[in-house]
DNA sequence: ACGGGAAATGTCAGCGTTGTCCGAGTTTGT
DNA sequence: ACAAACTCGGACAACGCTGACATTTCCCGT
């Protein structure tokens, strides 16, 4: 009594005494079917537990599905998931579903994963570029599949992209520290190779240069080694002979580490994180915040827009950031 | 110069001067094709940007895809996303991809969303039941699609399920409070209708009954109204004429609220949350913890197991919880 | 009663792939 | 040297559905 085979249109048609096309009409078109027939068909379908096969339907209809792919690097990072939530919501408004795939932050697997998804004939592809080079996607793009790169720009590929105001956001944070007198400001982040971190680092340096601080190398902790935790990075900064009076973090992992170390630091060290987090308000941590849901929604909208207007120019969107002052970033330097 | 049509097996075959079956062999079987032909075919495929159409392949192969669906209630809840991460990982090991769909915690949309996914011929269905009744899935189950209900048992449906040790975990937390003398213990959670909350509430009552406390109603805050935040619930407990000396939270949202209110409470109120969270260690918050990734992996494994052995009995798995003592749960009652 | 037009239903082919079966060419065994 | 076995490649049909087009049925006015 296992797996009896699935009913098809033809089975339903036979039972209802109509042609399969009529059944098809009942389930798809909804046009030109008498109420009588319609009910008879629906009855038979129910009895046979019929469910239309979207595979066949989509194939027949020209190989387009209702699926949009989102390729994510690290699934356990809450940031990406929130972005995914935004994407899903926007897609749902248009009757599309999202498939999620992970490259496990491994550049090598990116093309493999993407390829598998494209074989599924996804309607559009959203991805967080991990590999060095996305030129392999150019063919697909020319075939009309919208490609949107999320959080980082794609390399060697013309594609829509949505990124954060990384540089500006970080510069604003650092400026708010220099405005109250800080000059010795540490920067922690890892890993350093990534676009977002490079941008934020640039913003940090830029803001410091504005107040005449040009040598920042010894205050930068950009550890590629994941074993070096944010906590250790902060500690190594504090252990300097001339330690910074303020620290900024380039990513959300840095914030948690910094909070742990800096809580019982005396004299207190100012801190501003990048990316808001739960309880940051209760803890009084100032952060550069942005709306990750909106990042996802925007990415989805770009894809949908491209679908509606295939010949439009490529768009680059920046999601604004804003500094939220909660106290930790307003601690003045000790005098 | 838009959307030139996509190359098919036949196109590649024509260019390579072979039959389409041979091209098919190159891309699928890998059997019985000479090295010469193989390379010629691959060359032509590349030139034409050919990519096999999985829609057609799956249809031909009998309508089975490599996709497993996970139907989630609320996309923004980090708990579900972590579960999803676990599912994705386990599936990836078996070459399957995950599609994620949301019911937006609306019982009405559950059947609609599930139906759409089943029409896509997903290989298995994992879902967090939201609706009152999942009997509508019985037909599909009989057709051989594994159905696994996650975090809550399905209702009126025979299906594998994975849930947490809700009752035991909560009871353990409360016992650890009663062991150090607490008797007046508040319980916050919302909404109350949900299985997990009912179970945890039962665990709470059970542990209190063991020490002779049977009237707990006035210490229970089970607000269905989402406008009543966890913070307000905690505050209303503290405002009682005879306020509790300890509070336990039935969900992760409760913890954040409790932390905010209880930080500057004097005399200090003991607290234990359900579900671990970032910085809980730094804040010294005791919690009942569990591994959400493992919850996801287990759900995926159940589905895979059912796929491998369709006639196996239905399985119910409980994911263990454990109490992590970090201080907030070890505060004794004031004397 | 009859023609005409719209509504309801049917026929047929084909979307892109692969399983089955078959044939031609090549190697192996005795 | 000849059958047997094996390798490589092709023709054809079918997976379940729908678009184009054809046909039947029904209703209405005159």
């Amino acid at each position: 009594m296992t797996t009896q085979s699935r009913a098809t249109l033809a089975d339903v048609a036979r039972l209802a005494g109509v042609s399969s096309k009529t059944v098809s009409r009942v389930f798809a078109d909804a046009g030109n079917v008498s109420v009588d027939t319609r009910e008879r068909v629906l009855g038979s379908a129910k009895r046979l537990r019929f469910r239309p096969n979207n595979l066949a339907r989509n194939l027949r209809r020209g190989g387009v599905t209702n699926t949009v792919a989102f390729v994510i690097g690290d699934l356990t990072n809450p940031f990406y998931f929130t972005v995914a939530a935004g994407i899903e919501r926007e897609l749902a408004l248009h009757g599309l579903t999202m498939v999620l795939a992970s490259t496990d932050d491994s550049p090598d697997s990116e093309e493999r994963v993407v390829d598998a998804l494209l074989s599924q004939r996804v309607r559009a592809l959203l991805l967080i570029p991990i590999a060095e080079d996305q030129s392999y996607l150019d063919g697909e793009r020319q075939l009309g599949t919208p490609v949107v790169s999320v959080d980082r720009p794609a390399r060697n590929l013309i594609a829509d992209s949505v990124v954060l105001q990384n540089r500006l956001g970080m510069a604003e944070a650092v400026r708010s520290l220099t405005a109250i007198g800080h000059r010795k400001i540490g920067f922690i982040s890892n890993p350093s190779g990534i676009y977002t971190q490079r941008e934020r680092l640039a913003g940090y340096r830029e803001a410091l240069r504005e107040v005449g601080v040009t040598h920042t190398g010894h205050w930068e902790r950009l550890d590629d080694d994941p074993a070096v935790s944010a906590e250790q990075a902060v500690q190594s900064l504090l252990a300097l002979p001339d330690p910074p009076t303020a620290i900024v973090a380039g990513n959300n992992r840095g914030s948690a580490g910094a909070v742990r170390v800096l809580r019982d630091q005396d004299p207190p060290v100012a801190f501003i994180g990048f990316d808001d987090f739960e309880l940051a308000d209760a803890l009084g941590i100032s952060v550069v915040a942005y709306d990750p849901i909106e990042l996802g929604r925007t990415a989805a909208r770009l894809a949908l827009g491209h679908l509606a207007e295939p010949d439009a120019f490529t768009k680059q969107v920046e999601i604004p950031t804003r500094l939220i002052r909660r106290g930790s970033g307003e601690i003045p330097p000790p005098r």
Side-chain angles (χ1 to χ4, degrees), chain A:
Chain A
M1 79 134 278
T2 14
T3 321
Q4 37 204 304
S5 69
R6 237 170 249 277
T8 70
L9 273 189
D11 298 328
V12 177
R14 212 168 306 122
L15 181 61
V18 297
S19 83
S20 60
K21 179 71 232 218
T22 301
V23 182
S24 162
R25 273 193 267 257
V26 170
F27 278 90
D29 315 335
N32 285 1
V33 180
S34 72
V35 181
D36 263 20
T37 332
R38 171 183 206 79
E39 296 208 332
R40 202 146 31 92
V41 167
L42 287 177
S44 311
K46 191 152 202 172
R47 264 219 292 157
L48 295 176
R49 298 211 197 87
F50 170 73
R51 193 187 303 283
N53 184 333
N54 256 351
L55 249 45
R57 174 181 296 189
N58 289 333
L59 175 61
R60 182 61 235 259
R61 290 222 178 129
V64 244
T65 61
N66 298 313
T67 314
V68 170
F70 181 36
V71 179
I72 222 172
D74 171 17
L75 278 165
T76 59
N77 189 328
F79 163 65
Y80 295 133
F81 264 126
T82 319
V83 175
I87 292 173
E88 208 274 352
R89 270 192 206 166
E90 188 67 29
L91 291 178
L93 295 179
H94 298 262
L96 297 169
T97 55
M98 175 179 75
V99 333
L100 202 58
S102 158
T103 60
D104 287 323
D105 269 342
S106 137
D108 301 332
S109 62
E110 183 182 298
E111 188 166 350
R112 203 174 33 72
V113 168
V114 166
D115 215 70
L117 289 165
L118 291 176
S119 282
Q120 312 286 349
R121 292 290 187 271
V122 292
R123 200 66 161 287
L125 178 69
L126 315 182
L127 92 159
I128 300 187
I130 303 285
E132 292 300 308
D133 178 28
Q134 276 74 42
S135 61
Y136 67 92
L137 276 171
D138 197 57
E140 194 63 26
R141 184 190 61 85
Q142 283 180 36
L143 252 23
T145 306
V147 177
V148 179
S149 88
V150 182
D151 192 43
R152 316 170 192 172
R155 305 198 214 182
N156 306 319
L157 177 73
I158 305 168
D160 288 354
S161 73
V162 209
V163 297
L164 298 172
Q165 271 185 351
N166 292 297
R167 192 184 290 235
L168 195 69
M170 181 53 83
E172 195 188 348
V174 173
R175 275 186 207 115
S176 96
L177 290 169
T178 58
I180 56 175
H182 289 281
R183 288 298 178 272
K184 297 180 286 182
I185 303 177
F187 180 90
I188 62 168
S189 148
N190 74 55
S192 59
I194 292 173
Y195 166 81
T196 48
Q197 302 307 312
R198 282 205 314 275
E199 287 292 301
R200 292 172 198 173
L201 178 59
Y204 157 85
R205 288 178 179 164
E206 190 178 303
L208 277 175
R209 207 178 311 115
E210 288 164 8
V211 293
V213 180
T214 50
H215 279 59
T216 54
H218 53 298
W219 290 327
E220 295 168 7
R221 290 290 177 278
L222 313 163
D223 293 299
D224 280 318
D225 181 358
V228 179
S229 70
E231 269 150 286
Q232 289 172 286
V234 173
Q235 265 150 355
S236 90
L237 281 173
L238 297 177
L240 287 176
D242 187 25
T245 60
I247 293 179
V248 293
N251 60 28
N252 53 357
R253 292 194 170 150
S255 299
V259 168
R260 289 199 178 87
V261 177
L262 295 179
R263 310 188 75 205
D264 19 53
Q265 198 62 27
D266 190 44
V269 174
F271 177 79
I272 302 182
F274 207 106
D275 196 358
D276 206 1
F277 58 96
E278 177 105 58
L279 289 178
D281 56 340
L283 293 166
I285 304 295
S286 300
V287 296
V288 178
Y290 54 86
D291 186 350
I293 295 261
E294 190 55 30
L295 180 61
R297 297 195 89 118
T298 305
R301 270 195 286 261
L302 283 175
L304 291 166
H306 196 95
L307 238 26
E309 208 182 333
D311 290 322
F313 286 114
T314 307
K315 297 189 185 69
Q316 317 296 328
V317 179
E318 278 207 343
I319 301 291
T321 56
R322 70 181 199 289
L323 178 61
I324 302 184
R325 300 167 200 273
R326 295 198 179 107
S328 77
E330 284 64 51
I331 300 171
R335 268 253 44 192

